[in-house]
């Protein structure tokens, strides 16, 4: 546990990816049967794709938004919420995921660096609105009433991730960085472990079904299902705090 020294932490940062929602039935991107097997990333998750075929991109997100009504948080989501509630220190959850399972599992102040399926943004007035139905080119902006104007409030490839300033501060301050359920393919998220180690103070743990692209960068690796491993890790951390 945490190498050969027992230690207590004060500021934990947890980065999550699609793998933490896999046991809830939400499809990942790069596993077998993943989303990118059916759609080329370039055809549905870039601004150019939206400009080229907005109806197809809207359909891609409408399908995933509708699936949110059929899935539930799993023990990995609720374990992180328990850590946030009971840990004597700060616990920041940064997610690459666009689902709402962390929140529905009880987590608070989740940082959605790649946006959220349950929100749309107006390209005319820049308003951001909760949205849970199907959005298409005829859907009017709730504020300025323009159409076509609404797009998914999602960070596409080539776009600046959200909340990078807050993320940088939390990574700088953390003494434990845990990465859960991500393949380590997508930047800047895949570089966070390197950012943390550049500061030099934090212990780093990867929790993933299999070694990620960045596995060798972590001081500790726990491979298996997040729904099994994360509750055990949270128990260990709460015993320490
Ligand atoms: C940016 C929203 C500048 C969409 C997403 C070369 C060429 C071109 C571009 C680049 C390049 N090199 C780097 C880039 C930049 C690019 C990038 O990284 N491209 C990659 C493909 C190389 N990045 C960007 O464009 C980003 N913007 O760089 O702007 C900048 C830079 C710095 C600072 C400021 C600005 C924007 C990236 C965001 C793109 N949008 N999502 C949508 O969701 O529809 S990314 C998309 O991939 C999802 O958000 C997803 O979360 C994310 C990462 O994937 P993972 O979450 O890791 O999912 P994956 O399926 O890959 O892996 C799942 C893992 O879980 C697996 O390892 C599996 O083993 C594991 N697992 C499965 N089951 C379980 C499990 N683990 C535990 N338990 C289980 N049960």
């Amino acid at each position: 546990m945490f190498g050969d020294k027992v230690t207590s932490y004060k500021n934990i940062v947890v980065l999550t990816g699609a793998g933490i929602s896999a046991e809830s039935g939400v499809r990942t991107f790069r596993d077998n049967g993943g989303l990118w097997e059916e759609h080329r990333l370039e055809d549905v998750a870039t601004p150019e794709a939206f400009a080229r075929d907005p109806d197809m991109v809207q359909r891609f997100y409408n399908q995933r938004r509708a699936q949110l009504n059929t899935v539930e948080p799993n023990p990995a989501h609720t374990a992180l919420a328990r850590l946030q509630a009971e840990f004597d220190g700060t616990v920041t959850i940064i997610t690459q995921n666009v689902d709402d399972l962390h929140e529905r599992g009880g987590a608070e102040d989740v940082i959605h660096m790649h946006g959220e399926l349950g929100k749309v943004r107006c390209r005319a007035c820049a308003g951001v609105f909760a949205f849970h139905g199907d959005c298409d080119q005829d859907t009017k902006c709730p504020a300025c009433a323009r159409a076509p104007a609404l797009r998914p409030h999602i960070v596409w490839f080539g776009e600046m991730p959200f909340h990078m300033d807050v993320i940088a501060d939390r990574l700088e301050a953390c003494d434990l960085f845990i990465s859960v359920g991500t393949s380590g393919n997508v930047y800047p998220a895949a570089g966070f472990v390197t950012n943390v180690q550049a500061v030099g103070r934090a212990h780093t743990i990867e929790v993933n079904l299999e070694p990620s692209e960045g596995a060798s960068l972590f001081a500790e690796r726990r491979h298996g299902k997040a729904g099994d491993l994360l509750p055990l890790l949270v128990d260990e951390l709460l015993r320490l705090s």
Side-chain angles (χ1 to χ4, degrees):
M1 171 177 70
F2 313 121
D4 53 4
K5 60 182 170 43
V6 177
T7 180
S8 66
Y9 299 103
K10 278 300 164 208
N11 297 295
I12 301 176
V13 169
V14 186
L15 170 70
T16 67
I20 199 170
S21 297
E23 290 159 80
S24 297
V26 179
R27 292 170 70 181
T28 63
F29 291 87
R30 296 168 184 84
D31 288 324
N32 295 334
L35 280 166
W36 295 153
E37 276 185 6
E38 269 174 37
H39 306 273
R40 280 172 8 102
L41 166 161
E42 295 76 8
D43 293 342
V44 289
T46 65
E48 295 77 14
F50 188 66
R52 189 169 53 244
D53 190 346
D55 292 331
M56 184 186 54
V57 173
Q58 295 278 25
R59 276 197 307 276
F60 175 65
Y61 287 97
N62 288 343
Q63 285 167 3
R64 290 169 65 197
R65 192 177 301 116
Q67 192 206 14
L68 288 188
N69 304 321
T70 67
V71 295
E72 296 295 329
N74 68 58
H77 296 108
T78 50
L80 289 184
R82 179 159 61 91
L83 183 65
Q84 273 190 324
E86 299 175 19
F87 181 70
D88 176 18
T90 68
V91 179
T92 301
I93 298 173
I94 302 167
T95 188
Q96 300 173 87
N97 299 341
V98 293
D99 63 52
D100 58 352
L101 292 175
H102 278 300
E103 291 85 350
R104 288 168 54 200
E108 296 180 346
D109 305 325
V110 178
I111 298 177
H112 281 273
M113 66 179 291
H114 291 164
E116 296 174 72
L117 273 176
K119 291 180 182 171
V120 291
R121 186 165 80 243
C122 180
R123 291 176 293 135
C125 70
V128 175
F129 313 95
F131 193 90
H132 300 291
D134 281 350
C135 182
D136 61 33
Q137 295 298 85
D138 300 328
T139 311
K140 290 185 184 335
C141 169
C144 71
R146 288 186 181 82
L150 297 175
R151 60 162 279 181
H153 187 53
I154 296 275
V155 177
W156 285 325
F157 288 94
E159 295 185 320
M160 173 82 86
F162 297 146
H163 313 300
M164 288 304 290
D165 49 347
V166 173
I167 288 172
D169 291 346
R170 301 294 173 85
L171 292 175
E172 167 89 20
C174 82
D175 48 22
L176 177 59
F177 178 75
I178 305 170
S179 175
V180 186
T182 180
S183 62
N185 275 290
V186 174
Y187 290 84
F192 288 170
V193 61
T194 307
N195 302 146
V196 161
Q197 286 176 334
V199 176
R201 177 180 48 245
H203 183 55
T204 54
I205 306 176
E206 167 176 275
V207 177
N208 207 55
L209 194 61
E210 62 202 6
S212 73
E213 291 291 312
S216 61
L217 298 169
F218 288 84
E220 191 174 342
R221 291 164 288 277
R222 302 189 183 193
H223 292 142
K225 289 186 173 182
D228 298 335
L229 294 180
L230 219 43
L232 298 176
L233 175 55
V234 167
D235 289 343
E236 288 173 35
L237 289 168
L238 291 178
R239 275 199 297 274
L240 279 178
S241 77

